[in-house]
Amino acid sequence: MLNHKYDRDIPSAEITRESDYLSRRRFLKNLSIGAAGAAFLAACRSSGVTQPALDATPGSTPAAAYTGGQRDELGRAITSEQSITTFNNYYEFSTNKDGIGELSRNLVTSPWQVEVGGLVHQPRTFDVDELIRLFPPEERIYRMRCVEGWSMIIPWQGFQLSKLIDAVEPMTSARYIHFVALHDPVQMPGQESDYFPWPYEEGLRLDEARNELTLLSTGLYGRPLSPQNGAPIRLVVPWKYGYKSIKAIVKIEFREEQPATFWNTIAPDEYGFYSNVNPAVDHPRWSQNTERIIGQPVRIATLPFNGYGDQVRSLYEGMDLKENH
Amino acid sequence: MRVRHIFWFMVIMHAGCLIPLAWLGAGYFFGRLGADPISALEQFSGRIAISLLTATLLVHPLASLLKQPLIMKARRPLGLYTFAYVLLHVLILVGLDYRLDIPLLVTSYVDKPFIWFGAATSLILAALAITSFAWWRQRMGVWWGRLHRLIYLAALLDLAHFFLVVKGNLLSLSGNLARPSIYAALILLLLLLRLPVFRHHPCPDISTHTDDT
């Protein structure tokens, strides 16, 4: 009955048009074309990716052009850049969403290095500029569903995490990836709070990390990421609650054991390791059945896996998603 | 403190209670409440409500401490303003956020403890607001005072509501607990002041002279 009500409440603009549905098929196709980058990666491997900086042309940071996509594959209009850059959850700076932009303005994001190591054959520290040259950014319009019950549709630029994973050649024992964000209380005043287990850390199972949807983002709306959005490089995992998409990454480590994650450490019952968007599994303290898209006043039904079920459902086959929330 | 002073004290009190409302209303209608104005309204009205509830509890100890019984005149209006903001808080949730979709509200919140703590707070404050008129006070006699002592229970329930609605974990003292912790410290202090040990002046609106502080 509820669902019926929702169907009626969805503005006509939100209903997927056939053309959008078709473009979604194209989008999926494009994703697989993205795998053409594999050829490039193969080249990397053969030439020894340990020194890709030598291959990359210095000083030519490709502009991640925003191609002007206005809707996601479900036909939902993208959120305004103004909202995306002024409404941020980034406790490293403040718990006040609209104060992050100002507080983070002077964060030094260049030069910036990301240490990639652990159970890999080719551990390396990459400069972010170098990553952008090695893995040219592509555009992905993704829904971002926050555990607090709001969502945005964001035109990211970035590259598939799988490309970086292939480049460093994980060992067969690697089953998880651990991500660590910058820990610098001088630049990030929120980290002076003892209420939180700094630094921010996150984790994915290796197959989740390799999924074609999982992105390392360096830009949005065609501009390099602003500090408040996770500059210079952040994770984007669109079928999981927003807090999984860790910002300002300095370390990526391949592991055999499941890594600790920031919110799971704080409240294990409330924030599971998987944190897949799931309207059927409430946060113990609030419901997850609906959400409000920022900029729109009406609540809509939250979709399982945030609407990316076709691409990710198989990752969790046979798993109890309530148990493994 | 003279009557003239208490007049200005009351003017400042009323202004202090109404300015947030004006600020919220203007912010909403001129689109100055950020990217998610409905959440901003919900959270802001809730914070004002618990602030005013704390202020209401503060009146009696303050009057005792300063030996200014006239300050007691502020207690009833502060209590009523508290209830007004609680009502606003509820109306924003039900009317603006959920667009009067009661079935959805029920399925979303029926099993969530924070909503029940909030609802209990609202009901107590409603009862106190309704019976705050002199007519009721005369009618109820000794029961009026007993009923109105429930404001302390309301304050504790409101604290529980606040702690449950923020992200974090009270047991491990981690998460977004700074704000509710400040209110908890204040409210618990004010509750402590109600213990007999600290109560030299059970009725400061009558007794003004003291030399045993």
Side-chain angles (χ1 to χ4, degrees), chain A residues 1-2 5-6 9 83 86-87 89 91 95 147-148 150 194-196 263 266-268 270-271 282-287 289-290 292 294-295 297 299, chain B residues 35-36 38-39 42-43 96-99 101 103-104 107-109 111-114 163-169 172-179 181:
Chain A
M1 191 190 92
L2 269 173
K5 179 147 182 50
Y6 270 92
D9 279 350
S83 289
T86 57
F87 191 76
N89 264 330
Y91 282 18
T95 54
V147 71
E148 294 166 359
W150 54 266
D194 296 330
Y195 286 126
F196 298 96
W263 281 104
I266 293 170
E270 301 179 15
Y271 309 94
D282 280 359
H283 182 283
R285 288 187 283 159
W286 56 78
S287 168
N289 56 3
T290 60
R292 264 191 291 106
I294 293 300
R299 280 187 176 269
Chain B
D36 189 359
I38 294 176
S39 281
E42 278 167 355
Q43 291 175 18
L96 267 183
D97 194 345
Y98 279 83
R99 309 248 148 186
D101 190 340
L104 177 63
T107 50
S108 299
Y109 291 116
D111 57 344
K112 303 294 179 287
F114 90 90
F163 271 110
L164 286 173
V165 90
V166 296
K167 281 187 283 186
N169 185 345
S172 62
L173 267 189
S174 51
N176 200 356
L177 301 176
R179 240 186 213 120
S181 300

Side-chain angles (χ1 to χ4, degrees), chain A residues 106-128:
Chain A
N106 296 319
L107 179 70
V108 178
T109 57
S110 178
W112 189 284
Q113 294 188 320
V114 183
E115 184 192 335
V116 186
L119 300 173
V120 293
H121 292 294
Q122 308 284 356
R124 271 216 48 181
T125 296
F126 294 89
D127 202 86
V128 167

Side-chain angles (χ1 to χ4, degrees), chain A residues 47-120:
Chain A
S47 69
V49 84
T50 39
Q51 296 294 329
L54 300 177
D55 307 342
T57 329
S60 68
T61 306
Y66 167 51
T67 55
Q70 294 296 314
R71 287 178 186 277
D72 71 1
E73 82 284 2
L74 297 182
R76 294 185 186 170
I78 57 171
T79 307
S80 75
E81 191 178 8
Q82 161 82 9
S83 289
I84 296 171
T85 54
T86 57
F87 191 76
N88 312 100
N89 264 330
Y90 204 165
Y91 282 18
E92 278 84 341
F93 291 98
S94 165
T95 54
N96 217 358
K97 290 186 181 62
D98 57 9
I100 310 293
E102 182 57 31
L103 278 169
S104 65
R105 204 159 42 97
N106 296 319
L107 179 70
V108 178
T109 57
S110 178
W112 189 284
Q113 294 188 320
V114 183
E115 184 192 335
V116 186
L119 300 173
V120 293

Side-chain angles (χ1 to χ4, degrees), chain A residues 20-57:
Chain A
D20 285 319
Y21 174 74
L22 292 173
S23 72
R24 177 161 170 275
R25 304 312 303 174
R26 275 199 298 278
F27 167 64
L28 291 174
K29 242 179 163 172
N30 286 339
L31 285 177
S32 54
I33 291 167
F40 168 77
L41 283 166
C44 270
R45 257 198 296 278
S46 58
S47 69
V49 84
T50 39
Q51 296 294 329
L54 300 177
D55 307 342
T57 329

Side-chain angles (χ1 to χ4, degrees), chain B:
Chain B
M1 195 186 259
R2 292 160 187 253
V3 174
R4 184 160 46 86
H5 293 133
I6 199 66
F7 171 78
W8 288 110
F9 176 77
M10 295 297 277
V11 167
I12 291 167
M13 186 274 297
H14 282 289
C17 292
L18 290 169
I19 286 169
L21 184 66
W23 190 87
L24 263 189
Y28 185 68
F29 288 108
F30 295 109
R32 308 287 297 180
L33 294 181
D36 189 359
I38 294 176
S39 281
L41 284 175
E42 278 167 355
Q43 291 175 18
F44 192 85
S45 59
R47 271 182 228 151
I48 298 294
I50 197 169
S51 303
L52 290 180
L53 182 52
T54 313
T56 311
L57 297 181
L58 189 65
V59 171
H60 187 290
L62 200 67
S64 299
L65 198 70
L66 300 177
K67 298 163 195 160
Q68 296 292 349
L70 285 174
I71 290 178
M72 288 299 286
K73 283 171 77 91
R75 192 163 70 171
R76 177 170 181 255
L78 276 173
L80 288 174
Y81 279 122
T82 304
F83 177 63
Y85 278 97
V86 166
L87 198 61
L88 182 68
H89 186 61
V90 173
L91 289 176
I92 290 164
L93 176 77
V94 177
L96 267 183
D97 194 345
Y98 279 83
R99 309 248 148 186
L100 302 177
D101 190 340
I102 307 299
L104 177 63
L105 262 167
V106 171
T107 50
S108 299
Y109 291 116
V110 71
D111 57 344
K112 303 294 179 287
F114 90 90
I115 207 81
W116 292 107
F117 283 107
T121 310
S122 314
L123 286 178
I124 292 175
L125 291 176
L128 302 195
I130 291 165
T131 57
S132 72
F133 298 94
W135 187 84
W136 276 105
R137 190 168 194 165
Q138 285 153 14
R139 288 262 150 151
M140 293 176 69
V142 66
W143 283 101
W144 191 91
R146 287 174 189 168
L147 176 71
H148 280 250
R149 243 173 268 157
L150 285 179
I151 191 157
Y152 291 97
L153 178 62
L156 291 175
L157 293 169
D158 201 8
L159 274 181
H161 172 69
F162 201 176
F163 271 110
L164 286 173
V165 90
V166 296
K167 281 187 283 186
N169 185 345
L170 199 54
L171 296 177
S172 62
L173 267 189
S174 51
N176 200 356
L177 301 176
R179 240 186 213 120
S181 300
I182 293 168
Y183 287 99
L186 269 170
I187 287 172
L188 291 177
L189 176 73
L190 292 169
L191 268 175
L192 213 62
L193 290 177
R194 297 299 290 173
L195 291 177
V197 207
F198 299 101
R199 291 186 64 191
H200 299 292
H201 317 292
C203 200
D205 35 346
I206 296 164
S207 73
T208 55
H209 82 282
T210 50
D211 47 13
D212 54 352
T213 42

